[in-house]
Amino acid sequence: MASEWKRNIPKARESLMEIVGESHVLCEDTLMEPYSHDESPVVKAMPDLVVRPESAQEVSRVVKTCAELGVPVVPRGLGTGLTGGSVPTFGGVVVSLERMNSVVEIDEVNMMAVVQPGIITGEFHKAVQARGLMYPPDPASLDSCSLGGNVAENAGGPHTLKYGVTRNYVTGLEVVLPSGKILRYGGKVLKNSTGYDLPHIFIGSEGTFGIVTQVTTKLIPLPPASIDLLVMFSDFEVAAQAVTKVMQAKRILPAVVEFMDRESVLCSQRALGKDLPFKPDEAQLLIQIDGYSQDSVDAQAEAVGEICVQIGAQDVLAATSQQDRDRLWKARRIIIEAAKAESARVELQDVVVPRSRIPELLMGAREICSKAEVPLLCIGHAGDGNVHFLILKKGIPDDRWEATFPAVMAELMFLALRLDGAIAGEHGIGTYKLQYLDRALGNAELEMMRRVKTAIDPQNIMNPGKAISF
Ligand SMILES: Cc1cc2nc3c(=O)[nH]c(=O)nc-3n(C[C@H](O)[C@H](O)[C@H](O)COP(=O)(O)OP(=O)(O)OC[C@H]3O[C@@H](n4cnc5c(N)ncnc54)[C@H](O)[C@@H]3O)c2cc1C
């Protein structure tokens, strides 16, 4: 990217201060440093400016100013992304949505909510749950990520298995386009076949098409009954096979089937600093059944437990007290953080395969990492075929790491492709996976993506260098 626009930064700074007020334009390195990275390893770049608008009108004026001056704009939620999406690779202005964090409306009659993009996803969950409603997409980072970031990444989570991803809940969007124009698409309607489905083109576009300034989502009644099962396996491969067996059970659709190998569980146990309410085995499945009648949920849980025992599970524990359930879920949710506490560098590979291929994926990943002698943790939303491989550098010397690690990452992605899967299940491409995109997609698809990007953002100022390269 040409850097002629860099000369325009002082002018941009002056104009942006007029729009959002001096205190919401950051220009000192110490204040901008938190906006120079996300949660991905090694992707880091300093912005030229950070701006924190508080309304769609302010976002619009900020983007218009940047477009006129040719300055790149990088939308940012809460920086929990794992592929470098909100990192200003080429510099420019980071537009942080952190101040736009309100619930605008919870419409109980239509079972819809209207929210600002900077709201923490977990806070939104609590707000709708207080009304007996549920917004199902639940990334493991829900206590620290934003709904706008979820829309931009089409985030999923453990409950994707039964309830789907962010895309399945968004019915309307307000977006500031790269020109600064504000567009509103869709609304509180459950179906809409008026022309192209434009809102959905923005979902999963990683901030490259515009800035989401308001989201309308549908809600569902909160299922009052649920049960969490922790299933222990002394054989990793049997645990992998159990995922597909459980999913084949007739008339049962678990809300969650999460996979954790022994090393992941031990790692999260060390981070919690106390024993978990179970002993770590070779691998475990965390299975949740939910529904609208406790009897039905209990009967389904029993059937699932029996399937697991038949295939070779050592033990099936039902977490009945809220305290045990919280501990189980905490142990699952903190694994990435726990791994980071033990290894300065943790690489995370997020791939997805048809769930019938889960055993091949898990066994194949183990083989790749053991050949390369790199420590691997396997976790993930295995019930929907989406697994995360965490590769820890730990004490591996830099030269051996540099010689081994890139090939390991590539092999894991190619393994997923060979198994009819995809190289990103829910964390997007960002910059982290850009070099693999041409192996994952054909020339015609890449060309179509470039043409769509160019049609929406002819100047290529909106989050340049992410999701697609030119
Ligand atoms: C411990 C941990 C666990 C995680 N677990 C999951 C998981 O289970 N499922 C999952 O899907 N992800 C998971 N993630 C990844 C991450 O939390 C999600 O990608 C999340 O959606 C990012 O939200 P954010 O607000 O932090 O966005 P950011 O990191 O700030 O940005 C992510 C992308 O969205 C764009 N963006 C942000 N806000 C907007 C907006 N308003 N308009 C347009 N573009 C915008 C940015 O430009 C960037 O490309 C996890 C991350 C961590 C650290």
Side-chain angles (χ1 to χ4, degrees), residues 259-270 276 280 282 331 334-335 338-339 376-380 388 390:
F259 183 96
M260 295 166 283
D261 69 357
R262 177 185 167 81
E263 290 312 315
S264 311
V265 177
L266 285 172
C267 187
S268 92
Q269 181 166 307
R270 288 190 290 271
L276 297 169
E282 266 310 295
I334 66 154
I335 290 174
L376 166 75
L377 309 185
C378 293
I379 55 169
H388 302 328
L390 277 64

Side-chain angles (χ1 to χ4, degrees), residues 37-40 73-87 95-97 116-119 121 138-142 144-158 160 165-166 174-176 202 205-215 258 332-337 340 348 350 379 381 386 388 425-428 430 462-463 466:
H37 56 86
D38 61 1
E39 290 294 326
S40 55
V73 172
V74 181
R76 185 178 176 97
L78 293 171
T80 68
L82 289 164
T83 50
S86 58
V87 178
V95 179
S96 168
L97 283 305
Q116 291 189 312
I119 189 164
T121 307
D138 59 339
S141 51
L142 86 170
S144 49
C145 66
S146 73
L147 200 77
N150 297 168
V151 170
E153 297 287 357
N154 189 23
T160 289
V165 290
T166 305
E174 178 186 79
V175 181
V176 172
F202 287 89
S205 66
E206 303 190 34
T208 60
F209 291 165
I211 302 186
V212 174
T213 47
Q214 189 163 284
V215 188
E258 293 282 299
R332 164 62 187 94
R333 286 210 167 102
I334 66 154
I335 290 174
I336 296 177
E337 295 312 312
K340 285 185 177 173
L348 199 154
D350 150 56
I379 55 169
H381 319 303
N386 183 201
H388 302 328
E426 57 183 19
H427 300 163
M462 191 56 74
N463 214 0
K466 311 292 168 55

